[in-house]
Amino acid sequence: MTTKSPLLSRPGAVEAGGADTGVASHYGEPLREQRALAAGTAVVDLSHRGVVTVTGPDRLSWLNTLSSQQVTNLAPGESSELLLLSVQGRIEFDARVIDDGGTTWLIVEAAEAAPLAEWLNRMKFMLRVEIADVSDDWAVIGTTRRVEEWPDLLVWVDPWPHVGAGGYAYSVVGEESHPGMERPWFEYLVPAADLEATVGDRPLAGVWASEALRIAAWRPRLGAETDDKTIPHELDLLRTAVHLAKGCYKGQETIARVHNLGHPPRRLVFLQLDGSQHTLPAVGSEVRLGERKVGTVTSVVQHYEMGPIALAVIKRSVSPDEILTVVDGDEPYTAAQEVIVAPDAGQVVGRQTGFLKGTHR
């Protein structure tokens, strides 16, 4: 059963659905809320997010052996992202990671906390680790700017779009030109009982606003851009969530093989949709080239500056120069694409080393 946020009692609050059930989609002025969030004057209630903790002296070295990321030497306050993969290299869990010196905190999608805790408990063996799903006790608040009044709260800093140590960018734009640079992102961990008092009278934006900024930043989301066949290369997640030079882990063979070939079977793309319609296509709508289906819309939103925008996963073979059509029932939407993941390895640019520190930005 989904727990509803107490902030849904705020004036104008309209509850979101789907993966964001339990928090507000908006508070009556969604486009104004986007502007405020982008400017750093509003915060987003993400209290529906799942939170899993790992304690014990073996926690970081253990997570290192299980995941795609190098976290053995993760310093207190340092942020990272890790993936847990299947043997075939498909994404099973995507976790935001921060350690406070005694506990490793994993922030995940609402539906992922219980399965992740269960999976981790099966992997304990004889190691000195303890896993707990603490989602009921902790809430998450999102923002595009550090909140000076919250210096004692643990904060995860999104590494996107910086290329981490051992990572690799599959995009065709350099890091400086990446639209994700316009979206610094912070997620504060707050005791659930203190959520209302912590937010206080700060302006609130709904998840409509945070999704609009996420999509514009080309940032993939588990459960939206992923399905049961997704590998990290298709979403440019080698940028922030994979260390190509670390030791063995489940799924590593696929990571290495596809990276060396440079040809993931699908690629994430940003779509600028025809704004003449008064509706948006539904998530799951077909992306077509002529009459042929070449992909699926994974996220879609009305952006306060760009109008209707979307992310989609399409076949790698589709030329970046093609104008595509999104079809929702009988309603077609013309879609101009911007390349996120390069169709060919030769087009890939951009490397950078170094963990993203919790004090960054």
Side-chain angles (χ1 to χ4, degrees):
M1 181 177 178
T2 302
T3 301
K4 293 185 183 296
S5 170
L7 297 178
L8 282 172
S9 64
R10 295 292 179 94
V14 175
E15 186 175 359
D20 293 320
T21 298
V23 296
S25 171
H26 61 87
Y27 296 88
E29 299 182 86
L31 299 185
R32 184 195 63 78
E33 292 167 25
Q34 287 185 38
R35 291 188 184 93
L37 182 62
T41 59
V43 299
V44 180
D45 176 15
L46 300 174
S47 58
H48 63 312
R49 287 272 171 84
V51 182
V52 174
T53 58
V54 184
T55 55
D58 295 331
R59 66 188 185 282
L60 289 175
S61 59
W62 176 65
L63 287 170
N64 196 73
T65 64
L66 296 175
S67 75
S68 62
Q69 188 58 277
Q70 172 61 262
V71 294
T72 300
N73 298 316
L74 194 69
E78 193 170 24
S79 299
S80 189
E81 179 182 13
L82 64 77
L83 304 175
L84 298 172
L85 307 173
S86 71
V87 173
Q88 295 79 23
R90 295 167 180 168
I91 299 173
E92 295 188 333
F93 297 100
D94 181 350
R96 306 158 181 84
V97 187
I98 187 165
D99 195 87
D100 64 10
T103 299
T104 302
W105 300 77
L106 306 176
I107 304 173
V108 295
E109 296 295 329
E112 300 302 313
L116 174 59
E118 181 182 354
W119 188 89
L120 290 173
N121 270 302
R122 292 201 305 268
M123 299 292 112
K124 283 174 58 173
F125 305 114
M126 300 298 290
L127 293 172
R128 297 169 296 170
V129 293
E130 295 296 331
I131 299 97
D133 178 356
V134 297
S135 304
D136 290 341
D137 301 321
W138 289 87
V140 178
I141 301 174
T143 175
T144 60
R145 184 177 297 176
R146 284 190 178 273
V147 181
E148 293 181 2
E149 294 83 358
W150 299 344
D152 298 327
L153 295 180
L154 196 63
V155 56
W156 177 77
V157 183
D158 191 352
W160 189 268
H162 300 281
V163 182
Y168 196 92
Y170 270 48
S171 65
V172 295
V173 298
E175 190 172 292
E176 300 79 10
S177 303
H178 195 289
M181 294 296 289
E182 300 178 12
R183 173 196 167 266
W185 190 248
F186 306 86
E187 295 189 359
Y188 283 87
L189 282 161
V190 181
D194 298 338
L195 176 62
E196 289 187 275
T198 301
V199 171
D201 59 0
R202 286 179 178 80
L204 282 167
V207 291
W208 180 338
S210 57
E211 281 294 277
L213 300 190
R214 177 186 71 82
I215 293 167
W218 302 353
R219 188 32 154 147
R221 180 180 179 183
L222 186 76
E225 280 61 59
T226 61
D227 58 24
D228 60 359
K229 296 181 180 178
T230 303
I231 59 175
H233 319 65
E234 297 174 333
L235 306 183
D236 201 18
L237 278 173
L238 273 71
R239 176 185 291 273
T240 56
V242 176
H243 193 295
L244 290 168
K246 70 182 291 289
C248 294
Y249 58 92
K250 189 167 69 170
Q252 184 187 29
E253 282 191 22
T254 298
I255 295 293
R257 182 174 67 253
V258 175
H259 180 65
N260 289 333
L261 292 174
H263 298 301
R266 302 178 297 180
R267 60 184 180 89
L268 185 66
V269 65
F270 176 83
L271 299 179
Q272 182 76 59
L273 301 173
D274 176 9
S276 62
Q277 282 104 323
H278 299 292
T279 58
L280 292 174
V283 168
S285 296
E286 291 187 0
V287 179
R288 295 181 185 174
L289 177 58
E291 296 300 315
R292 180 169 62 101
K293 179 183 177 182
V294 294
T296 303
V297 171
T298 56
S299 297
V300 63
V301 74
Q302 185 77 20
H303 189 274
Y304 73 103
E305 287 185 331
M306 292 184 283
I309 58 174
L311 294 176
V313 175
I314 66 174
K315 293 182 179 180
R316 179 183 63 83
S317 58
V318 176
S319 170
D321 299 324
E322 298 285 359
I323 300 296
L324 305 174
T325 303
V326 172
V327 179
D328 182 0
D330 296 327
E331 192 74 37
Y333 300 79
T334 302
Q337 59 168 314
E338 291 184 28
V339 176
I340 297 177
V341 172
D344 299 300
Q347 294 178 288
V348 173
V349 297
R351 291 178 185 265
Q352 182 176 322
T353 60
F355 278 111
L356 182 68
K357 298 291 184 181
T359 56
H360 188 73
R361 297 198 186 102

